[in-house]
């Protein structure tokens, strides 16, 4: 019969021998006899670091005799009290009477010159729990780190060894201090406020583009607090979220929708509906050009093509001495601070950009142009059409904007508008007419050069590009063709001409497309035409 090493518990008072009771005790069956094997030998630590001069008590779950592998590094008494003597590595071993052993590997480092608590300050709500930790400089160690509170009526400690766990019990201020074995200390200021009745998110819904990152912030009512805020997403295939410094950092990982929630310690929560669309392929800015006076303010917005998303739209100025940004996120608000030309640019998270040219000018042109408008309203029947718009644009960046007056019955001004056009400039507080189209034409302005393009489509298709030099518009490119109503009416073969020289149709189309596409054009009617004259304080 094999006997296992361990302990035995007899639940009866005798052992059965041949069915009779020995020593006069009642007979029992084998089911009444249980044997418990001894628990394996364990130590409270299997490896650790200590600072030079530090003491620590190792404990075993059985009676053991202790010894050290390196007395010059570590010493130990028979109660398991270990003392770190010098830097190095050694093993403290506990041995039972039957020879079973367990060891703890101990690394001795320098005594810490300081200890740093994980937070210097923390705000939390009544009833909330939190845990602080601490660190010491590289190359040093402290196995014993003891935490205490300065005011137990505000903060109740629930764990004081190695980490400091505590619960906020009443509003107020208290300090939680960690102390190392050699007396160095570090403290965290704990402010306890009332328990919050709700939690709110900075957005209730948001649309992101694929791959975009976005930050949700959360808040609780004034006078309350919640130190820990947990964020979650119900569809991580579309949106992932992680908590960073109390904020929810979102990432759009796939097209779709997700509900992102924040939850605080007392169960209160709030949600944000997140929609993920395709990444932007382009971005449009609400104005391509603006003329402003010093002190004027304006706000630009941006839009995306259908089916695309972008929550973060950042605006910037090319020259803060001319244009000072006052809001740069989602919309771009700014103020004109000095004369000159600057660009305001909107940028999406994936680098798509659009620009608005801002001309900050003097005021000498204002009354001159207003007089033109007022006189034309009274005398010129072109204004009877009911669709007239004005645009100010500084073509040559001389600080004096040109005035473009366009009148049309076509209200679609998305790219070019069929218009009656007049172009003025101002010289010595007098108006100079640069151009007047007596026929219906389309007029566009070059975004970054002093060019204007005129195109007519009545009988002959005509395109003329003119450059402003001083107070004149000089033709730099011209083209026309009769491949339209003119050929249909006369029956003649269409003619194609570039700069007054005839050419083939393919060459004609290529030259026009190449010349016009290399410049960034936008219409002189910047938005839908209006039915009544606009004061120049509102003309942009």
């Amino acid at each position: 019969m094999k006997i296992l090493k361990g302990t035995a518990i007899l639940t009866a008072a005798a052992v059965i021998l041949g069915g009779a009771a020995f020593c006069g005790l009642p007979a029992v069956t084998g089911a009444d006899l249980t044997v418990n094997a001894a628990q394996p030998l364990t130590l409270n630590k299997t490896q650790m670091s200590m600072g030079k001069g530090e003491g620590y008590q190792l404990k075993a779950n059985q009676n053991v005799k202790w010894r050290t592998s390196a007395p010059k590094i570590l010493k130990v008494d028979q109660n398991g009290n270990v003392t770190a003597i010098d830097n190095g590595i050694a093993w403290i071993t506990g041995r039972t009477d039957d020879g079973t052993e367990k060891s703890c590997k101990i690394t001795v480092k320098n005594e810490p010159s300081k200890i740093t608590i994980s937070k210097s300050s923390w705000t939390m709500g009544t009833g909330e729990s939190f845990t602080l930790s601490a660190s010491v400089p590289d190359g040093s160690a402290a196995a014993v780190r003891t935490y205490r509170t300065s005011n137990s009526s505000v903060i109740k400690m629930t764990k004081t060894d190695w980490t400091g766990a505590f619960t906020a019990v009443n509003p107020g201020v208290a300090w939680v201090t960690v102390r190392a074995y050699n007396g160095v200390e570090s403290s965290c200021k704990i402010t306890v406020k009332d328990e919050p009745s709700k939690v709110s998110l900075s957005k209730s819904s948001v649309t992101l583009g694929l791959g975009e990152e976005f930050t949700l912030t959360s808040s609780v009512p004034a006078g309350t607090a919640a130190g820990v805020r947990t964020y979650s997403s119900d569809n991580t295939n579309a949106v992932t979220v992680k908590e960073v410094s109390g904020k929810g950092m979102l990432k759009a990982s796939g097209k779709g929708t997700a509900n992102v929630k924040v939850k605080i310690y007392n169960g209160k929560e709030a949600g944000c509906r997140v929609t993920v669309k395709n990444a932007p392929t382009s971005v449009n800015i609400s104005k391509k050009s603006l003329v402003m006076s010093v002190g004027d303010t304006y706000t630009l917005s941006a839009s995306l093509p259908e089916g695309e998303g972008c929550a973060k739209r950042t605006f910037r100025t090319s020259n803060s001495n001319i244009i000072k940004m006052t809001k740069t996120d989602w919309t771009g608000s700014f103020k004109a601070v000095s004369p000159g030309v600057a660009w305001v640019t909107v940028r999406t998270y994936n680098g798509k950009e659009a620009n608005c040219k801002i001309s900050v000018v003097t005021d000498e042109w204002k009354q001159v142009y207003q007089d033109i408008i007022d006189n034309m309203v009274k005398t010129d029947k072109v204004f009877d059409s009911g669709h007239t718009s004005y645009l100010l644009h500084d073509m040559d960046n001389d600080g004096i904007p040109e005035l473009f007056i366009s009148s049309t019955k076509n209200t679609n001004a998305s790219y070019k508008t069929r218009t009656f056009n007049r172009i003025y400039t101002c010289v010595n507080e007098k108006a100079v007419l640069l151009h007047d189209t007596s026929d219906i034409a389309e007029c566009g302005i070059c975004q970054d050069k002093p060019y204007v393009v005129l195109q007519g489509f009545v009988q002959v298709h005509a395109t003329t590009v003119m450059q402003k030099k001083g107070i004149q518009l000089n033709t730099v490119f011209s083209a026309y063709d009769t491949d339209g109503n003119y050929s249909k009416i006369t029956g003649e073969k269409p003619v194609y001409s570039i700069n007054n020289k005839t050419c083939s149709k393919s060459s004609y189309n290529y030259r026009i497309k190449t010349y016009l596409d290399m410049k960034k054009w936008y219409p002189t009617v910047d938005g839908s035409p209006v039915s009544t004259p606009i004061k120049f304080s509102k003309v942009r």
Side-chain angles (χ1 to χ4, degrees):
M1 178 178 179
K2 184 176 180 180
I3 305 299
L4 297 176
K5 185 185 300 182
T7 62
I9 302 175
L10 295 179
T11 58
V15 178
I16 307 304
L17 293 177
F22 181 70
C23 295
L25 296 177
V28 297
T29 65
D32 296 309
L33 181 65
T34 60
V35 177
N36 294 338
Q39 292 181 344
L41 176 62
T42 59
L43 304 182
N44 61 334
K45 293 281 187 180
T46 56
Q47 64 177 13
M48 61 186 296
S49 295
M50 299 175 65
K52 191 185 297 185
E54 185 174 11
Y56 187 84
Q57 186 179 25
L58 285 175
K59 297 179 181 180
N61 65 340
Q62 298 182 31
N63 292 327
V64 295
K65 293 182 179 179
W66 300 97
R67 70 174 187 274
T68 176
S69 65
K72 291 184 178 181
I73 297 174
L74 293 170
K75 69 177 183 179
V76 61
D77 64 18
Q78 291 310 305
N79 292 319
N81 294 312
V82 181
T83 303
I85 305 300
D86 202 357
N87 291 9
I89 298 175
W91 283 260
I92 299 296
T93 302
R95 180 185 176 92
T96 64
D97 291 340
D98 64 4
T100 302
E101 293 185 345
K102 278 289 182 180
S103 298
C104 175
K105 178 183 176 182
I106 299 179
T107 301
V108 180
K109 299 182 179 182
N110 291 326
E111 177 182 349
S113 58
K114 64 178 181 178
I115 188 168
T116 304
I117 204 163
S118 54
K119 290 189 176 294
S120 59
S121 63
W122 186 248
T123 301
M124 56 197 303
T126 303
E128 187 173 9
S129 297
F130 193 68
T131 299
L132 290 168
S133 59
S135 61
V136 295
D138 290 344
S140 64
V144 177
R145 304 172 187 187
T146 306
Y147 293 77
R148 68 179 187 274
T149 176
S150 65
N151 190 338
S152 58
S153 65
V154 175
I155 291 295
K156 179 182 178 182
M157 301 301 302
T158 56
K159 186 177 184 298
T160 60
D161 182 27
W162 187 254
T163 57
F166 51 89
T167 299
V169 291
N170 286 300
V173 176
W175 295 83
V176 171
T177 300
V178 60
R179 180 184 177 92
Y181 71 95
N182 63 341
V184 293
E185 292 184 342
S186 180
S187 297
C188 173
K189 180 182 178 181
I190 309 295
T191 301
V192 178
K193 297 185 178 182
D194 289 330
E195 178 181 350
S197 58
K198 65 177 182 177
V199 61
S200 303
L201 282 172
S202 54
K203 294 277 188 181
S204 59
S205 64
V206 66
T207 299
L208 307 179
L210 277 172
E212 185 175 8
E213 295 181 347
F214 186 78
T215 301
L216 280 176
T217 59
S218 58
S219 61
V220 294
T224 68
V228 177
R229 304 175 188 191
T230 304
Y231 293 82
S232 63
S233 168
D234 69 354
N235 183 2
T236 55
N237 290 326
V239 180
T240 60
V241 59
K242 63 179 180 180
E243 186 274 333
V244 178
S245 300
K247 300 175 182 178
M249 310 299 289
L250 311 183
K251 184 168 184 179
S253 51
K255 290 176 62 176
T257 58
N259 292 304
V260 173
K261 289 185 177 181
V262 61
K263 188 174 184 178
I264 57 177
Y265 71 96
N266 62 352
K268 306 298 182 182
E269 59 183 28
C272 174
R273 181 75 167 175
V274 183
T275 302
V276 180
K277 297 184 177 182
N278 289 322
T281 56
S282 63
V283 61
N284 300 311
I285 201 163
S286 55
K287 292 285 186 180
K288 295 296 182 73
S289 71
L290 288 170
V291 175
M292 305 175 69
S293 298
V294 174
D296 286 352
T297 60
Y298 198 81
T299 298
L300 289 168
S301 60
S303 60
L304 302 173
E306 187 72 22
E308 299 177 358
C310 174
K312 188 175 182 181
R313 305 171 189 186
T314 306
F315 290 78
R316 68 178 188 274
T317 175
S318 64
N319 191 331
S320 58
N321 293 321
I322 297 172
I323 293 294
K324 181 180 179 181
M325 302 300 301
T326 56
K327 185 177 186 296
T328 59
D329 185 25
W330 188 256
T331 58
S333 298
F334 49 87
K335 182 177 183 179
V337 292
S338 65
V341 174
W343 296 83
V344 170
T345 301
V346 60
R347 181 182 177 93
T348 65
Y349 71 94
N350 63 341
K352 305 302 179 182
E353 293 186 343
N355 302 305
C356 176
K357 178 184 177 182
I358 314 292
S359 301
V360 182
V361 298
T362 59
D363 290 341
E364 63 178 275
W365 50 269
K366 280 191 173 181
Q367 190 57 50
V368 175
Y369 289 164
Q370 189 65 62
D371 290 343
I372 292 174
I373 297 293
D374 292 342
N375 185 60
M376 292 179 70
V377 170
K378 294 177 183 178
T379 64
D380 201 323
K381 291 185 178 180
V382 72
F383 282 84
D384 293 340
S385 65
H387 296 290
T388 301
S389 290
Y390 322 108
L391 176 72
L392 295 170
H393 176 71
D394 190 358
M395 293 180 65
D396 49 2
N397 300 339
D398 63 355
I400 300 294
E402 280 64 55
L403 169 64
F404 294 78
I405 301 177
S406 301
S407 184
T408 180
K409 291 184 178 180
N410 177 8
T411 60
N412 180 10
S414 59
Y415 172 61
K416 298 174 182 176
T417 305
R418 299 180 63 81
T419 59
F420 181 102
N421 294 284
R422 291 177 183 172
I423 306 173
Y424 291 88
T425 191
C426 181
V427 179
N428 297 324
E429 299 188 14
K430 292 183 179 180
V432 176
L433 181 64
L434 293 175
H435 185 77
D436 185 359
T437 56
S438 57
D439 199 356
I440 295 177
E442 295 181 350
C443 180
I445 306 168
C446 183
Q447 183 173 342
D448 52 5
K449 291 182 175 62
Y451 293 99
V452 62
V453 60
L454 297 171
Q455 292 185 303
F457 297 95
V458 180
Q459 300 294 337
V460 176
H461 298 161
T463 300
T464 303
V465 178
M466 293 181 289
Q467 178 182 14
K468 182 177 183 292
K469 288 188 176 181
I471 59 173
Q472 291 184 333
L473 287 177
N474 300 322
T475 299
V476 294
F477 177 84
S478 65
Y480 74 90
D481 73 80
T482 61
D483 190 2
N485 289 336
Y486 182 83
S487 293
K488 293 178 181 178
I489 294 171
T490 64
E492 297 178 3
K493 184 179 180 180
V495 175
Y496 304 91
S497 174
I498 297 289
N499 292 332
N500 298 319
K501 294 182 180 180
T502 58
C503 61
S504 66
K505 181 178 181 179
S506 60
S507 177
Y508 174 85
N509 290 334
Y510 175 79
R511 290 286 302 279
I512 286 185
K513 185 177 187 306
T514 301
Y515 192 87
L516 296 184
D517 284 357
M518 72 180 182
K519 295 179 173 62
K520 299 175 181 177
W521 302 98
Y522 52 90
T524 54
V525 179
D526 195 9
S528 298
V530 295
S531 59
T532 56
I534 307 175
K535 293 297 182 182
F536 276 100
S537 61
K538 298 180 180 179
V539 174
R540 294 292 180 262

